[in-house]
Amino acid sequence: MKVEVEYDERYWYPDDGGQVWLVGFQLVDPVSGRYLGRDGARERGLHVVGVAGAGQHHAEALVAAAIKPGDPLELRRDPANEHDPNAIQVLAGGAQLGWVPRELAEELAPRLDAGEQWVALVLREQRRSARDPRDGLTMLLAATDSVELVEPRAARSPRSGAGRTSHGRPDPPR
């Protein structure tokens, strides 16, 4: 499955007055070139969600993980989890980074248990600033055996990044 994306590095200012440095990919509609929100992604069978508990419970693994936007993640069911029988761990290189959010895990757990293939990729990472360690991840989940992130070669809309590509792009800060 090919998914069109654009690479972006920017500050985001949540309603609570905070500041977050985001680096990674934003999903793009292949027809209009406009950014896809979570609802638009879901209509296409894709899920864009944060890795639950990453910054709070798995901060060491999150900082140490040698991952970047676009890298694969592993999903592992944890039916013996005392807090949630639908729990799905999110791992990178064997280290747990967090969990699939509870509401989505409730939907995906039976499908994983039935043997359905799911792919998880790092979509974006969050930091307090460009120099701070990673403190959160956003992932892309899809019911397929492979996902390829593809960046458009030319601008498709005024907000689409004016033809940014991955060629020559510096690696995100570590």
Side-chain angles (χ1 to χ4, degrees):
M1 164 186 280
K2 291 185 179 188
V3 177
E4 287 205 21
V5 295
E6 285 191 4
Y7 185 84
D8 196 13
E9 294 182 37
R10 64 185 165 88
Y11 281 104
W12 177 62
Y13 301 93
D15 292 336
D16 67 3
Q19 175 179 306
V20 179
W21 176 251
L22 298 173
V23 60
F25 297 104
Q26 174 66 41
L27 301 184
V28 177
D29 180 276
V31 175
S32 70
R34 295 186 181 274
Y35 287 162
L36 282 178
R38 292 177 192 236
D39 291 339
R42 191 170 177 94
E43 290 170 5
R44 290 162 174 80
L46 305 169
H47 298 273
V48 175
V49 295
V51 176
Q56 294 174 328
H57 305 291
H58 301 281
E60 280 187 33
L62 186 64
V63 170
I67 55 172
K68 62 186 181 309
D71 284 353
L73 297 167
E74 179 187 345
L75 300 178
R76 183 183 302 157
R77 281 281 285 121
D78 184 11
N81 184 296
E82 66 183 270
H83 303 288
D84 182 5
N86 294 311
I88 303 170
Q89 298 174 324
V90 177
L91 302 105
Q96 185 174 354
L97 302 177
W99 305 92
V100 170
R102 184 181 300 263
E103 301 78 25
L104 183 56
E106 183 177 2
E107 176 186 333
L108 298 188
R111 295 171 74 177
L112 288 170
D113 291 345
E116 189 171 307
Q117 289 275 340
W118 278 81
V119 169
L121 298 174
V122 176
L123 202 56
R124 291 183 292 276
E125 58 182 46
Q126 297 94 14
R127 302 165 184 265
R128 292 194 199 327
S129 77
R131 293 187 181 104
D132 286 327
R134 181 184 310 122
D135 61 6
L137 287 177
T138 301
M139 61 184 163
L140 173 69
L141 301 169
T144 184
D145 60 351
S146 70
V147 170
E148 179 184 356
L149 300 181
V150 179
E151 291 184 80
R153 293 288 175 195
R156 295 177 182 239
S157 72
R159 297 187 62 213
S160 72
R164 279 178 286 185
T165 67
S166 60
H167 180 71
R169 174 180 74 225
D171 285 336
R174 293 262 170 229

